[in-house]
């Protein structure tokens, strides 16, 4: 293979073979495919798109540049179910859902991310708690899962390390919003966790990255296809983000509100969190 041949093939709108994608990604990770060649490839994907199979191949190639978690010794026989949201204003669902799912007897391994654009990420919300640490090495992460049944952590460079460098190139080359590239970036970390099931929440509307149903549905379909191709039971919900979730917006305020929900504060009305209730039902179905 040669980088230029693969770039030209995608530029011309032809589908890439599994071996071509894996060679290109591995080459970039090892340094014999250069940054300018990866940038050209990303732009070709952005313009020409990818099939779901190509997106799956790209994701698995990214996962292959790092390690994968071994959850087999964590509460054997109990389903390991993860959840991911594309984010929106006031979206603190993961902070409520993760411990609730753990109390049902599930194991919830969640590698989360920082905020993008106007939305605060789950890790940003947790960072509002003084002294709380989300950076964990693999052994510590597995130990916490074994002890309490859930963990929300920042992924280390051991997991899909090429994703970080590819994302940085996407950011400066104008190829951030492409569905296949968004899906592969999200799913590379999720597949590296190796959960039994995965619930995806794609936000749509004025407070989300995807403003219309067509774009949100395309991302949902691509991510479900990637998960299923990897042998992970995957389902996705597309939820409305035309107004903030709950009553609080801002990292510390959202964290406080999530804690109040978990404590059963009677000032919090259940109908303010329909996404939480629906997501919990979906997680139970995946298990």
């Amino acid at each position: 293979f040669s980088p230029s041949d693969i770039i030209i093939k995608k530029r011309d709108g032809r589908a890439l073979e599994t071996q071509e994608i894996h060679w290109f990604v591995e080459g970039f990770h090892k340094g014999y495919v250069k940054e300018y060649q990866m940038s050209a490839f990303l732009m070709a994907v952005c313009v020409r798109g990818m099939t779901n199979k190509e997106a799956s191949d790209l994701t698995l190639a990214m996962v292959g540049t790092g390690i994968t978690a071994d959850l087999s010794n964590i509460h054997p026989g109990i389903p390991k179910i993860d959840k991911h949201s594309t984010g929106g204003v006031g979206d603190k669902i993961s902070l409520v859902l993760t411990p609730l799912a753990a109390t049902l007897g599930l194991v919830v391994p969640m590698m989360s991310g920082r905020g993008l654009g106007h939305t605060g990420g789950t890790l940003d919300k947790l960072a509002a708690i003084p002294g709380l640490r989300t950076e964990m090495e693999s052994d510590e992460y597995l130990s916490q899962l074994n002890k309490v049944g859930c963990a929300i952590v920042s992924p280390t460079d051991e997991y899909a390390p090429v994703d970080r460098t590819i994302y940085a190139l996407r950011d400066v080359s104008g190829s951030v919003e492409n569905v296949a590239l968004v899906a592969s970036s999200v799913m590379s970390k999720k597949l590296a966790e190796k959960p039994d099931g995965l619930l995806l929440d794609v936000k749509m509307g004025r407070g989300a990255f995807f403003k219309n149903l067509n774009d949100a549905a395309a991302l949902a379909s691509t991510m479900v296809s990637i998960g299923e191709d990897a042998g992970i039971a995957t389902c996705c919900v597309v939820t409305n983000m035309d107004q903030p979730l709950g009553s609080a917006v801002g990292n510390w305020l959202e964290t406080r509100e999530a804690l109040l929900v978990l404590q059963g504060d009677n000032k919090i009305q259940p109908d303010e969190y329909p996404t939480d209730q629906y997501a919990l039902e979906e997680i139970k179905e995946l298990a």
Side-chain angles (χ1 to χ4, degrees):
F1 300 118
S2 79
S4 59
D5 287 344
I6 292 173
I7 294 167
I8 289 169
K9 187 175 180 180
K10 178 45 63 181
R11 181 203 67 187
D12 292 344
R14 290 178 286 159
L16 298 174
E17 299 295 329
T18 300
Q19 296 88 341
E20 291 174 315
I21 293 174
H22 278 258
W23 181 89
F24 198 88
V25 172
E26 182 183 3
F28 178 64
H29 182 58
K30 292 183 175 179
Y32 53 83
V33 172
K34 305 303 180 185
E35 284 194 355
Y36 64 85
Q37 292 169 320
M38 178 57 82
S39 295
F41 173 78
L42 294 171
M43 184 51 67
V45 170
C46 198
V47 173
R48 289 296 193 171
M50 276 186 156
T51 65
N52 281 353
K53 182 181 183 303
E54 286 178 293
S56 291
D57 289 338
L58 177 61
T59 306
L60 290 172
M62 293 165 67
V63 173
T65 63
I67 68 170
T68 55
D70 181 4
L71 304 180
S72 60
N73 293 322
I74 307 298
H75 300 288
I78 295 178
K80 285 77 177 176
I81 310 293
D82 189 15
K83 176 260 181 188
H84 176 80
S85 170
T86 57
V89 178
D91 183 5
K92 73 278 293 179
I93 299 300
S94 293
L95 296 179
V96 177
L97 191 64
T98 301
L100 283 180
T103 64
L104 292 175
L106 302 176
V107 175
V108 187
M110 187 179 295
M111 290 185 189
S112 191
R114 300 286 177 181
L116 291 173
H118 61 277
T119 66
T122 300
L123 294 182
D124 297 309
K125 303 180 202 306
L126 289 174
I129 301 174
L132 187 140
R133 181 172 59 88
T134 58
E135 294 79 14
M136 294 184 183
E137 295 301 322
S138 296
D139 290 347
E140 192 178 8
Y141 164 60
L142 295 176
S143 175
Q144 178 161 323
L145 282 177
N146 200 43
K147 183 178 179 180
V148 300
C150 63
I152 301 177
V153 300
S154 173
T156 68
D157 288 339
E158 298 174 294
Y159 298 96
V162 77
D163 175 56
R164 183 170 296 184
T165 47
I166 287 178
Y167 185 85
L169 289 180
R170 287 170 55 209
D171 192 38
V172 298
S173 64
S175 52
V176 170
E177 285 101 358
N178 175 267
V179 165
L181 297 179
V182 171
S184 62
S185 179
V186 169
M187 294 298 287
S188 64
K189 293 292 194 286
K190 297 303 175 184
L191 298 193
E193 291 176 353
K194 297 183 72 174
D196 299 312
L198 175 61
L199 172 63
L200 301 165
D201 179 8
V202 175
K203 300 296 186 189
M204 175 202 71
R206 290 179 297 170
F209 289 104
F210 297 93
K211 309 300 182 187
N212 62 72
L213 181 58
N214 287 341
D215 290 343
L219 178 63
S221 174
T222 302
M223 291 197 294
V224 168
S225 175
I226 292 171
E228 291 180 342
D229 285 348
I232 295 172
T234 308
C235 73
C236 185
V237 294
V238 177
T239 56
N240 189 294
M241 187 43 73
D242 278 333
Q243 62 185 29
L245 284 174
S247 303
V249 175
N251 291 334
W252 165 241
L253 295 175
E254 291 179 44
T255 301
R256 179 178 179 274
E257 186 175 25
L259 291 172
L260 290 174
V261 172
L262 291 170
Q263 291 168 357
D265 191 300
N266 58 17
K267 295 179 183 177
I268 305 293
Q269 298 301 314
D271 59 2
E272 293 184 26
Y273 289 87
T275 305
D276 252 351
Q277 298 170 51
Y278 185 72
L280 196 57
E281 290 301 318
E282 290 294 322
I283 282 181
K284 288 160 67 178
E285 285 293 322
L286 282 171

